[in-house]
Amino acid sequence: MRLLVVEDNKELAAWLGKALRQAQYTIDIAYDGEDAEHLLKVAEYSAMILDLSLPKLDGLTLLKRLRQSGNKLPVIILTANASLDGRVAGLDSGADDYLAKPFEIAELEARIRAVVRRGQDRASSEITVGNLRFSGGTRQFFVEGEPLQLTPREYAVLEQLVMKLGTTVSKAALSESVFGFDDEADPSAIEIYVHRLRKKLEASSVQIATLRGLGYLLRHVQ
């Protein structure tokens, strides 16, 4: 999953980015509302973590514009203002959840999983392909009931293929799910991650097929 963190406190934003990357998310960070609005127009995200006190364009205005455009992206507000009026204003503006600072990263991760499950029907249930199982609740893969050990970027590629099960996923789409704007993406990197995944899936009954010129397709091998 690719997340947008919008936070003007650069120390907090860096901490959030590091913690969420360790939790196998792809992260983009915006330090003001205008940059966030631009990123929302050029990239696809699974959720946004939004501070309200932002320079250039405040969080509530950004959120209202997002909803007025018809964008239903799950949004979790982070703010030092934990008052009832503040929570009501955020939720009335279209937020899906609200978390007051300071907070524990484990709680934020749980809230991210919850808002994404509510926003994506497929992510709310388990997905099974042959003997490969993906748990949307815990964001874990299993083969024959045993956890599949993956690096964060291998995980991001396989998650994208599972969430788009039955359709061909282009290399560009996989790259977007794996790399943030600040990452240096090697053009051959996706091929490397797919190669590693094929090795790790050899004991399973699924296969990552290459459709030349189109992309990759996850399928059950009889």
Side-chain angles (χ1 to χ4, degrees), residues 1 29 32 35 40 80 86 94-95 97 102 106 120 123 182 184 192 199 202 210 218:
M1 294 183 190
I29 296 176
D32 63 67
D35 282 349
L40 288 166
D97 204 349
Q120 299 178 358
D182 293 333
E184 293 184 8
I192 294 171
K199 290 286 187 182
E202 283 180 345
T210 301
L218 187 68

Side-chain angles (χ1 to χ4, degrees), residues 61 76 117 131 158 169-170 177 184:
T61 300
I76 299 174
R117 283 200 302 271
N131 60 4
L158 188 56
V169 185
S170 70
S177 71
E184 293 184 8

Side-chain angles (χ1 to χ4, degrees), residues 56-104:
K56 298 185 180 180
L57 183 67
D58 67 88
L60 280 183
T61 300
L62 173 64
L63 180 56
K64 288 176 182 177
R65 290 185 182 180
L66 184 75
R67 296 303 186 229
Q68 288 168 358
S69 71
N71 192 321
K72 297 180 180 180
L73 175 72
V75 176
I76 299 174
I77 287 178
L78 299 182
T79 183
N81 178 10
S83 69
L84 176 61
D85 288 345
R87 294 197 302 272
V88 169
L91 295 170
D92 282 347
S93 297
D96 297 271
D97 204 349
Y98 202 103
L99 191 57
K101 301 175 184 176
F103 56 88
E104 296 292 335

